[in-house]
Amino acid sequence: MATETKSFTCVQCPMGCPLTVTLEDGVVKGVTGNTCPRGAKYGAAEATHPERVVTSLVGVVGDHHPVSVKTAGPVPKETVDAVLDQISATEVRLPVHIGDVVVRDVAGTGVDVVCTKSRER
Amino acid sequence: MDRVVDVCVIGAGVSGSATARELSRWKLDIEVVEAGYDLACGASRTNSGIVHGGYDPIPGTNKAKYNVLGAHMIPELAKEIGFRYKNNGSLVVAFSEEEVPHVKELVERGAENGVPGVSLIGAEELHALEPNLNPCAVAALKCDTSGVVDPFGMTVAFAENAATNGVRFTFKTRVESLERGEDGLWRLTLSDGSHVSAKAVVNAAGVHAIELHNSVSADKLVAHPRKGEYELLSRDMGPTFAHTMFQTPNALGKGILVSPTVEGNLIVGPDALDVDDPDDTATFPAGLAKVVEQAKKTWPDYNGREVIVNFAGVRPTGADGDFVIGEVADAPGFFDIAAFDSPGLSSAPAVAQDVAAMVAERLGAEPNPAFDGHRDLPPRFLEMTEEEQAAAIAADPRFGHIICRCEHVSEAEVLAAIHAPIPATTVIGVKRRCRAGMGRCQGGFCEPLVAEILCRELGCQINEVMLQGPGSEVAPYLRGEVRHGRA
Amino acid sequence: MGVRNLSCDVLVVGGGAAGLSAANAAADKGAKVLIVEREGELGGILNQCIHNGFGLHRFGEELTGPEFANKDEVKVEANPSIEVELGCSVLELAHDGDRLRATVSSEALGLAHVSCGAIVLACGCRERTRGQINIAGGRPAGVYTAGSAQKLINVDGALVGKRVVILGSGDIGLIMARRMTWEGAKVLMVCELASEPGGLRRNIQQCLVDNDIPLYLSRTVTQVFGHDRLEAVELADVDPATMRPIPGTEQRVECDTLLLSVGLIPENELAKTIGIKIDRATSGPAVDESLETSVPGIFVAGNELHVHDLADYVSEEGEVAGRNAAEFALGERKAGTADIEVVKGENVGGMTPQHVTGSAEGVTIRFRPRKRIQGAEIRVTSAGELVKRARRMIVVPSEMQTIELSADDMAKVTGPIEVSCTPVANGKKGA
């Protein structure tokens, strides 16, 4: 039976608790260092299948000012590079509004990329 | 493109620009060739900005003659061609009884050089004039005629007035070589591959003037370039001293000056460091620390706070200490303004007048009846009354759009700089002309705004806008280019 | 055309997080509000903060900067009592009889005098520059404050470089480390002069650790090299005792970009034009518990008051300032008659309010601890008597602490209020 521990800082709130997650054969056995249940949940998830919300920019046709976007939900950490590649290669036409989907199922994650800014022109 | 001109002026610093303007009083075809990306890229920009009275140079030297004449011309010129000058006076302070004889010597030298308004004052008057001065100061030379000037603005004023009177300016072009042909014309080979043939050449190449001189004359000069480091403090500190405060020169050097600038900042410096590379204007941590330390002799409370920028300039000092002015004996038609270090800024108007007269005489030039010596100082929103501001915005709404929040510079002023007779083509060029980015935040907020305006007005891409010289793009890559390996 | 005259109850200077919430709160109180914003759109610095992490406290969801701003913008735009002037700068503040007057300038308005009953200053802050930390060397392109580089990429769509050193571990520097990495640049390292990181722990984790960017504490940049463009920087270790570079530890690192994230300073130039008293510790105006400055009727909120680490608290402060400004302008405000000093005790740096007048029911005290303490107690005392205490698992200088004093707590105040933040004594459990 392989026991390992992973340590990292909780990012659920500005508290930034130092979490230690104990895993046995890849299964979470315990989380310590957290001050709230959200921290325990985050610690377990981060140790087994870390996820990130990706925020970036897409181009605008005919204007060098980009539009800011984000993944509508977290994507697996190992897909972040592929997600960024696809976002970065995307161009949109104005107007756009907050929440408009600009990429569907980005990098095969099942998550959409949405605008975080409304721009009429 | 190869061309033939009457006069080629090498260098668009203060001496070259002033000479070009003086030359435009004659019917001459004049081109100024400048290696830098803008006016005053060298010593003309990075100096103390002081109009020296003329009590310091040794009597009988070129420096003594031209300094006194130039300092006398500058107040009138400031009005005539529009640059900022303030007659704040200067003090050379003796910090001990031992230094008093040297100060007295300078007072006598001032009289000999014909400087008006120079006197010796005692401790009481001195401390009444300057309450922040080191209490141990015992006496000072007081010079009423010295002042402070915006050295870049002065160069711009000369150059723009020259341009308005027909002088052409070519930037980012270095003179690679020059030789006198059998036809008596000087043939200059430029870094862009083109050639200029000229009946006369004015060598106003600043830190490179001595090497140019040596390339045409057997009478070799020895260059001794010296770097001077400065710290510029915020306008809050400007009122610390009313006068330009010099320390009494001694065996260790001329000391550090502390002076209000014409814009109301406070400048502290320079040191004097011998350098090999005349174009290296980097500052050093140790040098700056020494500047602060030595400035405390004048201003004991100085703690290095409120610095908004440090910078250095290289002074084109010659080995024998005097300016080299005039036609070179073994190079007919080649006129030097070489070894033009301090008090070059103060002397430039007088030197320009003399050199231009020499050139005109040599070429037998006719006066130019169309010459218009007047140039208006570009209006500054910050300095207008409210009624003037309202009227300015009514006439051009872009006066109402403030670009630089620290110095209250409007978009109209930025545009005026970009569309001036000698246009600002870079962020620093705009900053030098209209002060956008000169304040506390040093362009933190307005640099991107100025870059956007330049992008629009020059019709280039945002990543092509330059901060200063070639290769200095503000933001060299468009979004996505680096990620996708396209840049 | 001469100088135009405008009028409102509450003038809000700045349309960022603090200004937007101040305007909404003031309008909710029945005031006629004018927001003056110098940029061409509302949102302030939030527009360039495209990363997420905003809004957890205020809206219970994680938003990006533009989305966070939009929540208040929508309310502002829907409120007929609020007018907005964009591209409009305030040049000067002055007294105008028993009212206040702002001189403003814009393309649309020209030059105008805005007569108002009260003012909320919400101008935000600015970044410390290279000049202020006096790094020696040449003056090449490639040296930027982190926020300028952030604006260039996120708003203007242009990236400042490919090989990056970041000086200062402030939050914007950390955010930009990730941002530039995600744009394809190589961020070599973040150096921090102090022995403690300057930014939030979550940002160190998400921006640096996630992207394998090393953070070197007690290290600084001493020189930059390059004439037209940056070629390299010189780094040196710093002696934590003197905060000075240690000779002999210099190291040259080739790079084309140096980003500076070396501190933020409240933008108080406008406040100075009417002689508002500035607190040396916060560099912002000194205020009472209603966020009123030394000039009656002028209130201040957000990063102009003191630099915050979370926009949520900026908005919260904006609401307080906006509400009180409205009450002042409408003549409904209970004037405070007391003048109780709030004193910085042990381990307390910049703190607001600086004094308490009794003008509000309770008092919200915000301060920055001077040093890190694991297991800390915040104690509020008055004339030696305990008013309130609170435990914190950890306090660090990068994270602002808040402690609320209720009306009941304030009833215990008999003299100057002192706030301290000290380690919990060993074995002593809280009462």
Side-chain angles (χ1 to χ4, degrees), chain B residues 328-345:
Chain B
V328 176
D330 60 347
F334 185 94
F335 295 81
D336 269 337
I337 305 178
F340 203 55
D341 63 345
S342 178
L345 187 68

Side-chain angles (χ1 to χ4, degrees), chain B residues 66-138:
Chain B
Y66 288 118
N67 182 351
V68 176
L69 280 172
H72 181 70
M73 291 166 75
I74 282 174
E76 277 307 308
L77 263 174
K79 288 179 217 155
E80 192 183 348
I81 57 173
F83 60 87
R84 282 159 208 280
Y85 162 79
K86 192 178 169 208
N87 171 219
N88 66 322
S90 62
L91 297 166
V92 183
V93 181
F95 292 94
S96 65
E97 290 299 336
E98 289 79 64
E99 290 183 338
V100 175
H102 194 107
V103 170
K104 284 184 175 161
E105 197 182 303
L106 287 176
V107 174
E108 285 159 23
R109 214 188 274 177
E112 205 177 335
N113 286 345
V115 185
V118 176
S119 59
L120 184 75
I121 60 169
E124 197 177 333
E125 187 180 350
L126 178 56
H127 292 291
L129 287 173
E130 296 293 355
N132 292 312
L133 177 65
N134 188 340
C136 76
V138 293

Side-chain angles (χ1 to χ4, degrees), chain B residues 175-361:
Chain B
V175 175
E176 299 287 0
S177 65
L178 72 170
E179 55 188 4
R180 191 161 178 267
E182 282 171 11
D183 54 2
L185 288 183
W186 286 93
R187 191 172 151 83
L188 288 74
T189 304
L190 307 181
S191 56
D192 64 0
S194 69
H195 299 89
V196 176
S197 297
K199 292 175 193 157
V201 171
V202 176
N203 171 22
V207 290
H208 296 286
I210 286 179
E211 69 191 66
L212 264 185
H213 167 99
N214 289 346
S215 76
V216 302
S217 171
D219 180 17
K220 304 297 182 196
L221 302 172
V222 177
H224 198 73
R226 266 193 193 150
K227 185 186 283 189
E229 296 170 282
Y230 294 91
E231 294 195 339
L232 188 70
L233 279 62
S234 82
R235 287 198 196 194
D236 286 355
M237 306 312 284
T240 310
F241 292 99
H243 297 76
T244 299
M245 308 298 293
F246 293 99
Q247 300 169 349
T248 304
N250 60 29
L252 295 171
K254 285 200 159 186
I256 295 287
L257 71 84
V258 180
S259 178
T261 70
V262 77
E263 297 289 356
N265 298 84
L266 199 72
I267 192 167
V268 179
D271 55 358
L273 205 68
D274 294 338
V275 289
D276 297 326
D277 177 3
D279 294 317
D280 175 13
T281 52
T283 55
F284 292 103
L288 293 172
K290 217 167 109 189
V291 166
V292 172
E293 209 39 55
Q294 290 184 10
K296 285 184 178 172
K297 186 176 174 185
T298 300
W299 181 22
D301 292 344
Y302 184 38
N303 53 16
R305 263 197 226 145
E306 291 288 327
V307 173
I308 56 173
V309 66
N310 68 61
F311 66 93
V314 176
R315 290 161 264 174
T317 309
D320 85 340
D322 201 8
F323 298 154
V324 177
I325 306 293
E327 190 165 10
V328 176
D330 60 347
F334 185 94
F335 295 81
D336 269 337
I337 305 178
F340 203 55
D341 63 345
S342 178
L345 187 68
S346 317
S347 308
V351 168
Q353 214 171 43
D354 259 17
V355 170
M358 291 177 214
V359 173
E361 194 189 333

Side-chain angles (χ1 to χ4, degrees), chain C residues 93-370:
Chain C
L93 302 177
H95 292 281
D96 183 15
D98 57 356
R99 285 170 70 82
L100 293 157
R101 192 183 75 188
T103 308
V104 306
S105 161
S106 82
E107 289 195 29
L109 287 177
L111 196 80
H113 286 153
V114 182
S115 168
C116 50
I119 294 175
V120 177
L121 295 175
C123 298
C125 58
R126 61 187 150 83
E127 298 177 280
R128 290 180 77 212
T129 64
R130 172 183 170 186
Q132 284 168 306
I133 53 173
N134 220 356
I135 300 175
R139 306 210 55 79
V143 182
Y144 305 89
T145 57
S148 299
Q150 186 181 46
K151 175 157 196 198
L152 281 163
I153 181 61
N154 290 349
V155 179
D156 299 329
L159 189 67
V160 293
K162 290 204 271 199
R163 211 177 143 77
V164 187
V165 169
I166 299 179
L167 175 61
S169 55
D171 286 310
I172 314 171
L174 301 176
I175 294 292
M176 279 305 288
R178 178 176 63 185
R179 202 58 213 102
M180 295 213 47
T181 304
W182 283 4
E183 283 297 326
K186 173 75 186 162
V187 178
L188 300 167
M189 66 183 81
V190 175
C191 298
E192 169 60 54
L193 177 79
S195 50
E196 290 269 345
L200 298 173
R201 279 164 287 173
R202 58 193 302 217
N203 284 336
I204 290 168
Q205 175 71 33
Q206 287 181 308
C207 299
L208 302 190
V209 178
D210 259 16
N211 294 293
D212 298 321
I213 300 166
L215 168 63
Y216 298 111
L217 299 173
S218 297
R219 188 180 286 192
T220 192
V221 173
T222 46
Q223 266 189 87
V224 300
F225 303 100
H227 193 267
D228 282 311
R229 171 154 299 275
L230 185 66
E231 289 162 11
V233 298
E234 183 187 80
L235 308 174
D237 291 343
V238 173
D239 179 348
T242 61
M243 297 292 268
R244 292 263 160 214
I246 304 170
T249 63
E250 295 86 358
Q251 178 199 350
R252 188 182 157 106
V253 174
E254 313 284 320
C255 56
D256 63 9
T257 304
L258 172 65
L259 296 188
L260 303 174
S261 180
V262 291
L264 300 167
I265 305 164
E267 182 77 86
N268 49 36
E269 299 301 298
L270 190 59
K272 285 182 190 167
T273 66
I274 193 169
I276 287 172
K277 194 181 153 222
I278 303 294
D279 178 36
R280 285 181 58 147
T282 59
S283 299
V287 292
D288 71 1
E289 71 272 37
S290 301
L291 306 183
E292 189 171 12
T293 67
S294 64
V295 174
I298 302 188
F299 298 78
V300 59
N303 287 345
E304 182 171 357
L305 174 58
H306 53 167
V307 176
H308 292 252
D309 31 66
L310 288 184
D312 297 63
Y313 296 140
V314 167
S315 302
E316 209 173 87
E317 233 171 53
E319 282 169 18
V320 173
R323 204 162 48 232
N324 290 326
E327 285 181 2
F328 186 98
L330 301 174
E332 295 166 4
R333 192 166 124 84
K334 180 186 102 183
T337 49
D339 186 9
I340 303 159
E341 199 189 348
V342 186
V343 185
K344 294 190 284 283
E346 197 180 328
N347 196 29
V348 171
M351 177 169 66
T352 59
Q354 286 78 0
H355 65 127
V356 170
T357 55
S359 59
E361 287 288 298
V363 176
T364 302
I365 294 174
R366 297 190 204 275
F367 70 92
R368 278 191 192 276
R370 287 187 183 281

